[in-house]
Amino acid sequence: MKDLKIDYDNENGERVTKEYDTIMDFIDEIESDSFDIPMMDYNIVNAKFFENPLQTYHFATIEHLYNHCKEIVK
């Protein structure tokens, strides 16, 4: 089971889908040195937590999702 599944529009307008085993994996990717900083502005972000359709949320940007995830793991 994946803790987080996301899809978003990248800078080319392409729809990208990613899955993370844990929410911390997503946070670690964002905070890593190899992270693509412009990705924080990618928009129209859909996120499903814990493969639960009732926990599907929409965020304006990856940055908003990242901030939400940081609050979850506090």
Side-chain angles (χ1 to χ4, degrees), residues 6-47:
I6 65 173
D7 60 86
Y8 55 86
D9 288 347
N10 68 12
E11 71 273 9
N12 298 323
E14 299 167 332
R15 200 75 186 154
V16 177
T17 301
K18 290 186 139 189
E19 297 181 345
Y20 298 91
D21 290 330
T22 68
I23 292 171
M24 281 306 301
D25 290 341
F26 170 72
I27 292 170
D28 289 344
E29 180 179 310
I30 298 293
E31 293 176 351
S32 75
D33 292 336
S34 63
F35 179 70
D36 178 17
I37 296 302
M39 182 180 173
M40 293 299 268
D41 294 331
Y42 291 173
N43 57 19
I44 312 174
V45 180
N46 299 310

Side-chain angles (χ1 to χ4, degrees), residues 5 7 15 43-49 53 55-62 64-65 68:
K5 294 181 179 183
D7 60 86
R15 200 75 186 154
N43 57 19
I44 312 174
V45 180
N46 299 310
K48 184 186 289 186
F49 293 89
Q55 291 190 5
T56 300
Y57 302 97
H58 308 285
F59 298 90
T61 65
I62 292 287
H64 288 114
L65 171 60
H68 180 79

